Amino acid sequence: MSFGFVPEKSLPGLFSIMEQGRQARHFGGFSTQNCEKQYAPMTTSLYSNCFVSDAAREIREARQLKRKDRDKNVGHTPQPGVFSASSLPEEQRVYGNSMSDTYPIVGIKDGLGPNGARPLRYEINKFVDPKYNPYAQDQLNLFLLALEKIQAMSRSERLSWFQIGGIHGEPYVDWDSSKGIGSEGDRWEGYCTHASILFPTWHRLYVALIEQAVHECMKQVLAEFPQDKQGALKLAVDHWRYPYWDWALVKPGTTELVVPELMRLEKIDVQRPNGVKQTIDNPMYRYRFPLNSKGEIDGFTSERYSTAPFTVRHPTSETAWTQGISDNDAVQKSLNDHWEDGGRQLVVDVYQLFMQIRSYPVFSNAGWRPSSAYASLENVHNTVHAFIGGRGHMSGINFAGFDPAFWMHHGNVERLFSIFQALNPADYKDWPEDRWLSAKGIVSWFDHDPENDDDGTWTSSRDTEENTHSPLTPFHKDTKGTVYDSDGCRYISDFGYAFEELQDWLPKYRDEFGMFDTSLYCKDIRKALREKYGWSAPAADRIRHLGRAAKEAEDLEQLEGATTVHHHRYNEYVVNVLVDRFANDGMTFLVNLFLGEVPDDSSSWETANKLGSVAIFGGTQYATGNCANCANQASSQERRLVTGQITITTTLLDLIEAKEEVHGEVLGSLHKNEVARFLKKNLHWRIVKIGNAELPLSEVPSLKISVAVATATLPTEEGEFIEYGDFEVIDEPTVGRTGGYDSRTDQI
């Protein structure tokens, strides 16, 4: 299967490619023949609520009491339903705004087809490739011109790149009449929600906002073209949706993750409406900030960032910082610098999300909940932020939204969220009356998070109970100030887009009576995930990739060794990370995991036996007066714990198959006792700040590294996923070590 990667150096001359399929009348660039491919049988997983431990219940009850006390003073308790500006407490309302109407985020309604067909958000390499996207040439040109236009808007414009990017963090100002709660001193200054059950839905609306704003700019650009050219170009505009970057998708024929060429080029060719071809600053490479007469960015709290003219990724020097020179080779190196076959961590982590997790609260965010497995969508998202940013803007919550890479990154996060919803249908009792007519209405959802409340945002107090009715400020449904909640953005079809894996309108998903077949739909989604990520995933898919059927137990044992796989079962191992989110004074840091010796020099850790990294996504500069919630939690005894996870089974299998020595020891099987002894001697961990300075383990008492194992049952039919039992923590590899978990004294 080809993934449509465009050869290097081909994009500047893309417009010389002959137009292919401009008048194609299908969605996503797929022919009917491809859409009707039949896939192997597969079962459907059902949504299940996460287990609530006694300890977690005590924490929740304590927080509920705290909320009741607070609500008596504040006089405001969130109510079910859609929120409006008038339903917010007095201190959160905005009056006399120069823009009397709020901006409605309704999605793009152009290009919609029959039976719910919607244009696709393409992976960026397919977006620019006419073999996959019939409008590639025109869409890329119009997209670049629209980005140039929106990035050049005055910062006073509500839909400018500066204002939309600033919603995520600095300069900490109200947007679209969603007023902050002032100096309450107990919430993160910024609208976005992290370590929160609202993380996926809030960012879904954020991406929908930029998509809608850029599309409006594309329409303005279209109007500048000669009338006789607009008809064909309008088709391209109508069918455009914001592309995403799948950073876990390897380059075909390799195990290498690559930075898209469109993000690498400092200059790029466009064709102006008057027909003139011109080379411009590539708006996907960086964003130029609006500077005042002193050469500063008004409202930024950091001196370093307030004087940076451009967004930068992995700046290698002060010259690179001030001139906006990104080192995208370093970005690619960060993505790939892990044990043996580069890039495996992200590939495995993404695939594991869909095989391990069925609970929305667990999947949604990295906030700690008593458990023995710590994977989450936000955990993977955090690590990618750090990998892309280095010492640049993407590595911090407060400035990440300005980097053009942010939107392609979060487009992929939204895709993974949407796939999870489709693969984990809601409980049958919650299905709508017309559940058999489409995929809409059965996708995974949630009530509230029984373990975690939010840290607070620009418009919400700390420990506010989060549920589907929590307001997702500052995003509005209409011009009257009606604020979205998660129920209002449950379905991507409402916003007029889809993804390659989620084309639920295709005829093959209807039975002979025209009813929607959820099981068949999920089978195809799983097949697509296996094709993209299964090459490097757990044992069952590795065996399948080698051409071994999972039901052939004798062959499995011959392949993996008699002590590795028994009766279709094997042991799956993960390393869990639990740590205070503000252990580095609120700034981003990484917990690096190693197998074997760790060099003393932290600058060499990127290439030294590294199993992988868990990033804790924070700010880029700690300032007590500017991040109230960070300052409050950094000094509070009630710390905000977050989690991360790395799956290590594939690496252990590498060692078993190669009979490779580590510290003079050879791992012979996946037996629990043998793996525990091996990891006790060879598993190590270190903490590094952004910029490669070490943060001593002794200074992070909250850190708890644990190893957990679960029984994984191999699928007996083609098309099924592995089934996992509960993860059990193993003490031996970590007990008695600084930052290591000890079941006798620690709770996880």
Side-chain angles (χ1 to χ4, degrees), residues 28 66 69 99 129 155 177 185 187 217 232-233 235 239-240 439 493 526 572 574 611 677 741:
K66 184 187 297 184
D69 291 340
M99 290 173 283
D129 191 339
R155 61 175 285 165
S177 300
R187 46 83 180 107
C217 283
L233 292 177
L235 282 173
H239 290 83
W240 174 88
S493 56
R526 289 189 178 92
E572 185 76 54
V574 299
L611 279 171
R677 288 194 301 269
Y741 169 76

Side-chain angles (χ1 to χ4, degrees), residues 535-578:
W535 66 271
S536 185
D541 285 300
R542 287 189 62 194
I543 293 164
R544 182 183 295 109
H545 183 69
L546 293 169
R548 311 284 185 168
K551 62 183 178 181
E552 298 173 357
E554 291 183 0
D555 284 353
L556 292 178
E557 293 183 2
Q558 292 171 10
L559 177 68
E560 303 295 355
T563 57
T564 298
V565 179
H566 281 299
H567 305 294
H568 309 287
R569 293 181 176 87
Y570 72 97
N571 288 333
E572 185 76 54
Y573 291 91
V574 299
V575 179
N576 291 321
V577 175
L578 176 68

Side-chain angles (χ1 to χ4, degrees), residues 663-691:
H663 272 181
E665 187 170 343
V666 176
L667 181 64
S669 78
L670 291 180
H671 276 172
K672 184 166 63 175
N673 292 340
E674 187 168 355
V675 170
R677 288 194 301 269
F678 181 81
L679 293 179
K680 180 178 182 179
K681 185 175 182 179
N682 295 295
L683 177 65
H684 302 282
W685 49 88
R686 299 287 189 274
I687 298 179
V688 64
K689 303 176 183 180
I690 295 298

Side-chain angles (χ1 to χ4, degrees), residues 462-481:
R462 187 171 179 229
D463 288 327
T464 300
E465 180 179 271
E466 295 178 331
N467 53 45
T468 58
H469 308 302
S470 300
L472 301 177
T473 52
F475 306 124
H476 295 102
K477 300 185 70 172
D478 52 37
T479 60
K480 301 178 181 179

Side-chain angles (χ1 to χ4, degrees), residues 75-90 92-93 95 469 471 481-483:
H76 171 64
T77 302
Q79 299 296 320
V82 176
F83 280 70
S84 67
S86 61
S87 70
L88 295 173
E90 182 73 19
Q92 294 188 41
R93 301 179 196 168
Y95 300 100
H469 308 302
T482 306
V483 179

Side-chain angles (χ1 to χ4, degrees), residues 121-136:
R121 286 183 180 174
Y122 283 105
E123 206 282 328
I124 186 61
N125 292 287
K126 286 188 175 181
F127 173 74
V128 300
D129 191 339
K131 294 196 303 291
Y132 299 95
N133 178 9
Y135 306 102

